[in-house]
């Protein structure tokens, strides 16, 4: 197709139809003042347009969603208004009222632009990914930080999710970028602590990379700062290690030290989920700890007494109706054994909170058995060695219990099984006197 150049007169008429003089102008060759296009009119029109755009963030509902073809137009206007705001902030006198008002406008405009770029689509309420169970959050006022991109989650205008298992938080747009499995699955399959104090292996063994995401790191901060986790002993980048702090189990068991140390994000979540789990057997890990920590000895005695009270409660109708054992619902292992501890137990022992609460529960249990319930009182013992004194119970501080038949005596009468237990002697004698056909049964 060939292009022919148009006459100059046509091009001139095309460019300015009102400036053609005698050839193409209005009758008489005169132009009206209102028909003249002055540069200041263009400047005024542009300024008014920018003012209208800058007022988009204040004159409208910031969080109403535009519909149809206006979305793209609004985005372009908002971008232009944001640039104009930034220019005005630099030009206006510093700390002036007008500059402050312009900053406020800029904030509103950016929020509006973010809403248009990342609108709340129909996101599912529950998503499962890498064993995470992400639940859509409804809170709009709490400011959170995305665990994936390390930026702020603006709940007012952004959709975000929290894992119901490990409490991992992220933007909806970051969900598909997650490569870290849920820590709760590790807790379920491997409920144990690292019991070595900060088992460092060195950056060279890590190939100078983050132990989790494999980002290059160094102690000099180039290209990324290497941060050590006191729990694993390994080094992490600033994205995987936010300088969170936690009590380290190994330092508690070996040094009885409860000062929080810096740990990576995954270790922090793991320690938080493991905190109430009774997985620490102190007698095996560090039995000498009971020789130096008096509070541990006191708690062990209270737990032993509670285990001795348990048979009374599970056979007492009143105790079952009153649900006395449920007073220990948050420490269920206290009614199952006396040698397993959780890290939370040790923290509460160190602070003194556990001693106070457990002593109060112990007093309530003992009162029911010895004073309030006739059926439980009837299951008490009389010292068969001296046959004197009040009714005895195995959890009394001045009693001793036979390990073979569980008979109860005064400690002064029967101490460390140095005296022959009368009940055991009767049972042995009865066994010898029984006919042969009864001995086989």
């Amino acid at each position: 197709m060939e292009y022919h150049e148009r006459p100059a007169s046509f091009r001139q008429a095309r460019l300015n139809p009102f400036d053609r003089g005698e050839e193409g102008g209005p009758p008489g060759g005169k132009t009206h003042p209102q028909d003249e296009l002055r540069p200041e009119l263009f400047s005024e029109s542009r300024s008014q347009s920018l003012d209208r755009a800058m007022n988009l963030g204040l004159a409208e509902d910031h969080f109403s969603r535009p519909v149809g073809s206006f979305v793209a137009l609004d985005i372009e206007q908002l971008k232009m208004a944001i640039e104009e705001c930034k220019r005005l902030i630099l030009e206006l006198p510093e700390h002036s009222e007008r500059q402050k008002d312009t900053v406020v406008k800029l904030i509103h405009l950016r929020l509006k632009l973010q809403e248009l770029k990342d609108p709340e689509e129909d996101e599912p309420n529950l998503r499962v990914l890498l064993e995470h169970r992400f639940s859509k959050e409804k809170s709009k006022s709490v400011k959170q930080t995305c665990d994936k991109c390390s930026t702020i989650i603006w709940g007012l205008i952004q959709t975000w999710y929290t894992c119901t298992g490990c409490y991992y938080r992220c933007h909806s747009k970051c969900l598909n970028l997650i490569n870290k499995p849920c820590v709760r699955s590790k807790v379920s399959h491997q409920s144990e602590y690292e019991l070595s104090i900060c088992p460092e292996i060195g950056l060279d063994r890590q190939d100078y990379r983050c132990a989790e995401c494999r980002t290059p790191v160094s102690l000099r901060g180039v290209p990324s700062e290497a941060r050590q986790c006191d729990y694993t002993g390994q080094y992490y980048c600033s994205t995987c290690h936010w300088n969170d702090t936690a009590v380290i189990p190994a330092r508690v068991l070996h040094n009885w030290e409860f000062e929080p140390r810096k740990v990576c994000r995954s270790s922090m979540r793991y320690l938080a989920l493991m905190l109430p789990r009774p997985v620490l057997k102190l007698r095996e890990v560090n039995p000498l700890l009971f020789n130096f920590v008096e509070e541990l000895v006191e708690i062990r005695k209270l737990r032993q007494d509670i285990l001795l009270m348990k048979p009374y409660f599970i056979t007492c109708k009143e105790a079952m109706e009153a649900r006395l054992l449920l007073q220990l619902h948050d420490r269920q292992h206290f009614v199952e054994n006396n040698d397993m501890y959780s890290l939370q137990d040790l923290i509460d022992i160190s602070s003194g909170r556990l001693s106070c609460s457990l002593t109060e529960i112990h007093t309530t249990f003992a009162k029911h058995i010895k004073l309030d319930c006739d059926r439980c009182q009837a299951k008490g013992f009389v010292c068969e060695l001296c046959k004197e004194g009040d009714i005895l119970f195995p959890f009394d501080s001045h009693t001793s219990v036979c390990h073979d038949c569980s008979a109860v005596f005064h400690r002064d009468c029967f101490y460390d099984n140095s005296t022959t237990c009368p009940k055991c002697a009767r049972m042995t004698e009865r066994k010898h006197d029984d006919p042969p056909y009864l001995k086989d049964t």
Side-chain angles (χ1 to χ4, degrees), residues 396-415:
D396 287 333
S397 58
H398 60 284
T399 60
S400 294
V401 180
C402 176
H403 296 293
D404 296 326
C405 66
S406 301
V408 182
F409 306 92
H410 290 112
R411 178 171 296 177
D412 296 337
C413 301
F414 187 86
Y415 189 74

Side-chain angles (χ1 to χ4, degrees), residues 5-25 37:
E5 188 173 353
R6 295 180 178 180
S9 61
F10 181 84
R11 293 200 305 271
Q12 184 179 5
R14 183 74 173 173
L15 290 174
N16 194 347
F18 296 106
D19 191 18
R20 287 178 290 178
E22 295 180 356
E23 296 181 1
L37 298 178

Side-chain angles (χ1 to χ4, degrees), residues 321-380:
E321 291 177 352
R323 298 186 178 184
L324 292 178
L325 288 177
L326 286 182
Q327 294 187 28
L328 290 168
H329 68 278
D330 55 340
R331 304 183 198 268
Q332 191 63 32
H333 52 287
F334 279 15
V335 295
E336 296 173 355
N337 57 70
N338 63 356
D339 56 353
M340 301 299 293
Y341 293 83
S342 67
L343 184 59
Q344 186 64 61
D345 294 337
L346 301 182
I347 294 174
D348 291 342
I349 289 174
S350 175
S351 64
R353 290 193 299 267
L354 183 57
S355 177
C356 295
S357 61
L358 201 58
T359 300
E360 184 177 349
I361 293 174
H362 181 279
T363 302
T364 302
F365 287 0
K367 180 174 179 292
H368 170 84
I369 295 174
K370 302 175 69 173
L371 299 176
D372 297 341
C373 182
D374 295 335
R375 296 180 182 179
C376 292
Q377 290 182 43
K379 298 175 184 177

Side-chain angles (χ1 to χ4, degrees), residues 1 8 125 185 208 254 268 270 277 319 339 353 359 406 438:
M1 179 180 295
N125 291 327
S185 61
Y208 293 92
H254 297 295
M268 183 198 69
Y270 182 77
R277 289 179 171 255
D339 56 353
R353 290 193 299 267
T359 300
S406 301
L438 292 179

Side-chain angles (χ1 to χ4, degrees), residues 128-164:
V128 179
L129 182 67
L130 294 177
E131 298 186 351
H132 291 281
R133 291 183 62 85
F134 285 106
S135 175
K136 185 177 178 180
E137 291 292 343
K138 302 184 183 300
S139 175
K140 301 294 185 181
S141 59
V142 180
K143 185 175 73 173
Q144 304 287 355
T145 303
C146 178
D147 285 304
K148 177 58 185 175
C149 63
S150 302
T151 59
I152 294 177
I153 299 174
W154 297 98
L156 285 170
I157 58 177
Q158 292 177 319
T159 306
W160 58 292
Y161 287 82
T162 300
C163 176
T164 58

Side-chain angles (χ1 to χ4, degrees), residues 198-260:
C198 195
E200 181 180 0
I201 60 174
L203 267 175
D204 57 337
R205 293 282 298 276
Q206 295 182 208
D207 196 22
Y208 293 92
R209 293 181 179 273
C210 172
E212 190 163 326
C213 68
R214 307 306 296 167
T215 299
V217 294
S218 72
L219 294 176
R220 293 181 298 176
V222 180
S224 180
E225 178 189 4
R227 299 177 178 179
Q228 188 180 31
C229 173
D230 196 82
Y231 176 68
T232 63
Q234 296 178 312
Y235 289 89
Y236 300 82
C237 65
S238 57
T239 302
C240 301
H241 193 315
W242 295 5
N243 287 330
D244 299 300
T245 58
V247 176
I248 308 301
R251 295 185 180 275
V252 173
L253 293 180
H254 297 295
N255 300 339
W256 199 244
E257 176 190 340
F258 294 88
E259 181 182 356

Side-chain angles (χ1 to χ4, degrees), residues 280-309:
L280 299 173
K281 201 166 187 175
L282 298 187
R283 288 190 301 180
E284 293 182 359
V285 179
N286 187 7
L288 295 178
L289 203 58
F290 290 94
N291 297 336
F292 298 97
V293 183
E294 297 180 359
E295 295 86 350
L296 278 175
V297 179
E298 178 187 359
I299 295 299
R300 182 176 60 180
K301 178 63 171 66
L302 291 173
R303 292 184 62 176
Q304 291 172 349
D305 289 349
I306 289 175
L307 287 179
L308 293 173
M309 296 176 184

